[in-house]
């Protein structure tokens, strides 16, 4: 795929630039509308601010100036957003329905020029995109439906002699066995190579690799992809995971029925053991599987534990790195990413790939057996996610991931606000009165925890019932979120295995303070409970509690499946009923 060089900015940089500009303009517009509502309620005319925003020799009644400015910013955000979508459409070389919108009418272009004259030349250059990157999807003659696919399994392994045998045995038990299995032995100093050869599979030893799993896979894919045909697919699988016997049969069957389906990812389950820390992880994975099932198999992350991807899509990713997506040209995996599977998902989605995760494609993977190991793993995952969305910017392909991070931040603030309110109340109140309403709300959370972890079995339900255990786990994950964010902000170098575990997380301070004050008899004056700031905090916590209670009720309801898409086009489904749209 020959991608022409852009004159000023690459398509990727333009899409990111316009995405950020759209978000900023939209946020400013919403802020001005909020100010207009406040001024309208207070009756404050604010003439100096109005004259500064609207430099016209006319008298505008409040809140007219604020509203006009907000509307202008919303119109500007619409223009820039259309340019971002147009640029992103040109990048979707793996999309079967890539269509670049036609140019705007002359009158609309003149209005845009008057409103956005600083960036209008760049918008004009995007509107008249020439030499678009050619699509790489095969035509109906090249790969018709029901074409039998040829599957090569790649298993990167670094000193995995203890578990690799089980991984290879699960592949041997497949109802539709792979055509080829290659163990990518990366700097192994144990018997990994001997175990692989004992199972009669190919072994490729990396040479001078210092870039972890991503570098090892890149070395093998460079040898594999140039000779790959349209019918070739690659399954990338971790050496510490096992797959269900029907994994390949279901995955390859879906891709053979639908030639435009680019990838099929697995749904991972945690292995047994590790007592409470292990069960907390299994409950978390069970809820993730339930979430994917409610979304009818729509992929959030194309998991690195086991995923099947078309070879031409991997080749397109390697050729698009640089002008269309981040990374070094020619490399399938971005070796700078800490979470290579998450980054590859971003890359494929940016290029317009379609993917799914059917429930039959089950993967059992290792879990962390100690809180220290869990801390290091989750810190790497969270930091990798933040760095990935930062590298890609705010685009159509990353919008939901930005939304997820904002949701995590909101949950962090809401939970810590609750802890603060409860701590102040316990220290200042002479007695606590039980409210039947809030007890009922609390029971919603308890029931939701049990229902969503039901498939984890009785151990999972037992851990979910006393909600304090999973509440502590939530705080643990929030500490990972904040720590990773702080490390990025201060520019701390990332690492895989050298991330220290904090001995006293800052976010646990409310609990520690409350317990210390209670033991030492240090109490707050009761006047605190009648202060304005306490009332605001109570209203804020009550609002958040009702929001999360509503979300909990939605989580317990069966998924609402729309039978038809907007415009009356039926949604595509797999033979198993999975939506692969």
């Amino acid at each position: 795929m020959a991608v022409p060089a852009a004159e000023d900015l690459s398509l990727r940089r333009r899409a990111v630039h316009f995405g950020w500009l759209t978000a900023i303009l939209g946020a400013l517009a919403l802020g001005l509308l909020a100010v207009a509502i406040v001024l309208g309620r207070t009756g404050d005319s604010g003439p100096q601010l109005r004259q500064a925003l609207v430099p016209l020799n006319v008298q505008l009644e409040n809140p007219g100036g604020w509203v006009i400015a907000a509307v202008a910013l919303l119109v500007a955000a619409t223009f820039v957003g259309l340019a971002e979508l147009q640029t992103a459409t040109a990048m979707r070389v793996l999309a079967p329905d890539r269509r670049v919108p036609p140019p705007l009418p002359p009158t609309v272009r003149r209005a845009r020029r008057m409103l956005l004259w600083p960036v209008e030349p760049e918008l004009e250059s995007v509107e008249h995109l020439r030499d678009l990157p050619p699509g790489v999807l095969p035509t109906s003659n090249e790969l018709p439906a029901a074409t039998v696919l040829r599957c090569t399994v790649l298993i990167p392994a670094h000193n995995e002699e203890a578990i690799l045998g089980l991984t290879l045995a699960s592949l041997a038990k497949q109802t539709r066995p792979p055509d080829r299995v290659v163990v990518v032995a990366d700097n192994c100093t144990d018997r990994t190579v001997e175990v692989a050869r004992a199972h009669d599979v190919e072994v490729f030893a990396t040479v001078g690799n210092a870039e972890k799993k991503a570098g090892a896979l890149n070395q093998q894919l460079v040898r594999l992809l140039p000779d790959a045909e349209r019918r070739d697919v690659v399954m990338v699988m971790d050496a510490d995971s096992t797959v269900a016997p029907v994994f390949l049969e279901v995955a390859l069957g879906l891709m053979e029925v639908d030639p435009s389906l680019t990838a099929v990812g697995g749904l991972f389950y945690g292995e047994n053991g590790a007592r409470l820390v292990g069960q907390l992880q299994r409950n978390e994975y069970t809820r993730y599987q339930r979430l994917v099932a409610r979304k009818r198999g729509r992929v959030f992350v194309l998991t690195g534990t086991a995923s099947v991807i078309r070879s031409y899509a991997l080749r397109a990713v390697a050729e698009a790195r640089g002008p269309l997506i981040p990374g070094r040209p020619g490399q399938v995996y971005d070796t700078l990413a800490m979470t290579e599977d998450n980054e590859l998902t971003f890359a494929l989605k940016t290029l317009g790939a379609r993917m799914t995760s059917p429930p039959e494609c089950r993967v059992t993977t290792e879990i962390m057996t100690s809180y220290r190991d869990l801390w290091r793993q989750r810190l790497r995952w969270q930091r990798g996610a933040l760095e990935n969305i930062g590298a890609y910017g705010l685009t159509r392909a990353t919008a939901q991931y930005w939304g997820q991070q904002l949701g995590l931040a909101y949950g962090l603030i809401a939970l810590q606000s609750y802890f603060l309110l409860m701590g102040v109340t316990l220290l200042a109140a002479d007695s606590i009165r039980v409210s039947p309403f809030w007890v009922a709300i609390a029971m919603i959370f308890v029931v939701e925890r049990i229902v969503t972890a039901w498939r984890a079995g009785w151990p999972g339900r037992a851990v979910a019932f006393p909600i304090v255990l999973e509440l502590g786990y939530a705080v643990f994950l929030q500490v990972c979120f904040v720590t990773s964010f702080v490390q990025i902000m201060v520019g701390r170098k990332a690492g895989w295995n050298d991330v220290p575990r904090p001995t006293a997380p800052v976010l646990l301070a409310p609990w520690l303070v409350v317990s210390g004050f209670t033991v030492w008899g240090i109490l707050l004056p009761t006047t605190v409970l009648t202060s304005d700031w306490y009332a605001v905090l109570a209203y804020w916590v009550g609002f958040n509690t009702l929001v999360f209670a509503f979300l909990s009720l939605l989580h317990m309801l069966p998924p609402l499946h729309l039978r038809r898409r907007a415009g009356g086009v039926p949604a595509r489904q797999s033979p198993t009923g999975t939506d692969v749209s």
Side-chain angles (χ1 to χ4, degrees):
M1 181 182 68
V3 179
E7 296 179 0
D8 300 322
L9 292 172
S10 67
L11 292 176
R12 175 177 69 86
R13 291 184 178 275
R14 291 187 183 189
V16 173
H17 171 71
F18 289 141
W20 282 119
L21 188 57
T22 302
I24 292 173
L25 291 174
L28 289 176
L30 294 177
L32 291 179
L33 287 176
V35 171
I37 294 174
V38 173
L39 293 180
R41 292 177 60 88
T42 59
D44 184 8
S45 58
Q48 295 180 351
L49 291 175
R50 186 171 66 250
Q51 292 176 4
L53 286 174
V54 186
L56 301 175
N57 190 21
V58 295
Q59 296 295 325
L60 296 175
E61 294 295 329
N62 183 67
W66 297 95
V67 174
I68 291 176
V71 170
L73 288 178
L74 285 176
V75 174
T78 301
F79 280 130
V80 179
L82 290 175
E84 193 275 334
L85 291 176
Q86 192 172 23
T87 305
T89 301
M91 297 166 59
R92 295 168 66 84
V93 296
L94 292 174
D97 56 350
R98 181 177 69 158
R99 292 185 293 271
V100 179
L104 297 174
T107 55
V108 179
R109 290 203 301 271
R110 284 195 296 269
R112 182 184 65 187
R113 188 178 301 110
M114 295 175 59
L115 190 63
L116 294 172
W117 61 267
V119 297
E120 199 277 336
E122 190 172 344
L123 297 179
E124 189 77 18
S125 66
V126 171
E127 185 176 299
H128 298 286
L129 288 171
R130 299 184 181 89
D131 301 325
L132 294 178
V136 298
L137 280 178
T139 64
S140 58
N141 294 330
E142 291 178 298
L143 190 63
T147 299
V148 177
L149 300 178
R150 184 170 56 187
C151 178
T152 298
V153 179
L154 300 184
I155 306 176
H158 172 69
N159 292 341
E160 301 285 359
E161 67 170 331
I163 192 68
L164 181 60
L166 296 177
T167 302
L168 296 175
S170 72
L171 288 175
K173 296 177 182 177
Q174 291 294 297
T175 55
R176 179 174 174 178
D179 298 277
R180 182 183 179 191
V181 178
V182 180
V183 173
V184 183
D186 182 36
N187 299 320
C188 294
T189 57
D190 63 353
R191 299 183 60 257
T192 296
V193 174
E194 288 80 355
V195 171
R197 288 174 176 163
H199 285 78
D200 197 24
V201 299
E202 299 180 40
V203 176
F204 168 76
T206 60
V207 179
N209 177 45
E211 296 173 323
K212 305 293 182 179
K213 174 183 174 181
L217 287 170
N218 282 336
Q219 285 194 15
Q220 174 60 18
L221 289 171
V222 167
R223 302 169 66 248
L224 180 66
L225 294 181
D227 299 327
E229 302 176 3
R230 292 290 191 180
R231 63 190 181 103
D232 284 321
V233 298
V234 176
M235 177 179 177
V236 179
M237 180 180 178
D238 281 347
D240 54 13
S241 303
T242 58
V243 291
V246 297
F247 188 103
L248 281 178
E249 179 182 358
V250 173
L252 298 180
L254 290 173
M255 300 175 81
E256 289 171 348
V257 170
D258 186 359
S260 65
L261 181 61
T262 307
V264 176
L267 289 178
F268 47 88
Y269 291 70
E271 62 185 4
N272 295 325
R275 298 182 178 179
L276 178 59
V277 64
Q279 192 59 55
L280 289 169
Q281 295 172 74
R282 285 188 287 273
N283 282 12
E284 181 185 11
Y285 295 162
T286 299
R287 293 190 176 98
Y288 174 76
Q289 298 148 18
R290 192 173 188 273
L291 177 63
V292 173
R294 290 174 60 84
K295 292 185 176 182
R296 307 186 73 180
R298 294 182 180 178
V299 174
F300 190 79
V301 175
L302 199 61
T303 174
T305 54
S307 293
V308 182
I309 311 170
R310 295 189 187 271
S311 59
Y312 65 77
L314 294 175
R315 190 160 52 229
V317 169
E319 294 172 349
R321 291 206 181 274
L324 299 185
I325 55 178
R328 300 176 189 171
Q331 291 188 343
V332 174
Y333 286 93
D334 185 0
T335 56
L336 298 179
M338 297 187 67
T339 49
E340 71 289 332
D341 52 351
N342 189 63
E343 195 282 333
L344 183 62
T345 305
F346 283 10
L348 290 169
K349 286 194 171 185
T350 299
L351 299 182
R354 293 177 53 248
M355 53 192 75
T356 187
S357 291
E360 298 87 351
C361 292
R362 176 170 177 163
V363 187
T364 302
T365 188
E366 71 169 347
I367 57 174
M368 299 297 102
T369 57
S370 68
Y371 288 102
R372 180 179 180 84
D373 292 338
L374 179 63
W375 166 263
R376 293 160 65 180
Q377 180 200 58
R378 295 312 172 89
L379 188 62
R380 181 174 67 86
W381 285 7
Q382 184 59 59
R383 177 160 180 174
L386 290 173
E387 290 179 347
N388 287 341
I389 62 175
Y392 277 79
L394 183 61
T395 65
R396 177 170 59 180
T398 63
Q400 66 170 332
Y401 301 92
W402 280 103
Q404 183 202 37
Q405 299 304 318
L406 292 176
L408 291 175
Y410 172 55
L412 166 70
I413 296 173
L415 184 58
Q416 299 305 316
S417 298
Y418 170 76
F419 289 152
L420 177 61
L421 178 68
M422 292 301 298
V424 171
T425 303
L426 292 174
L427 294 175
D430 295 331
S431 61
I432 301 297
R433 181 169 58 90
V434 178
S435 169
F437 174 77
W438 291 112
V439 170
I441 295 297
M443 291 305 301
I444 293 177
F445 294 116
V446 174
V447 174
E448 184 269 341
R449 292 284 88 185
I450 297 175
V451 169
T452 55
W454 192 262
R455 290 185 176 272
W458 286 109
R461 301 164 202 166
V463 170
F465 177 72
I467 196 170
V468 293
L469 295 177
E470 294 197 316
L471 198 62
Y473 187 62
V475 173
F476 179 86
L477 297 180
Q478 288 181 349
V479 177
C480 293
F481 174 77
V482 174
T483 304
S484 60
F485 183 79
V486 171
Q487 287 185 353
I488 293 175
M489 294 298 295
V490 300
R492 180 174 177 177
K493 184 178 179 181
W496 279 59
N497 300 314
D498 57 352
V499 180
R501 178 186 176 189
T503 56
V506 177
L507 293 180
L508 294 180
W511 285 0
L512 299 177
V513 170
V514 170
S515 61
F517 282 177
T518 303
V519 172
W520 296 326
I522 303 175
L523 301 178
L524 297 175
T526 56
T527 55
V528 170
L529 303 178
T530 59
S531 62
D532 292 338
W533 69 265
Y534 181 85
V536 172
L537 179 61
Y539 281 121
W540 166 251
V541 171
F543 170 77
N544 295 332
T545 304
L546 293 177
V547 168
F548 284 101
F550 176 73
L551 294 177
S552 297
L553 289 174
L554 292 182
H555 291 165
M556 289 187 287
L557 293 176
L560 300 177
H561 297 326
L562 298 179
R563 293 184 177 274
R564 302 182 68 84
R565 290 184 182 178
V569 180
R572 302 185 194 179
Q573 292 188 358
S574 72
T576 61
T578 303
D579 184 0
V580 293
S581 304

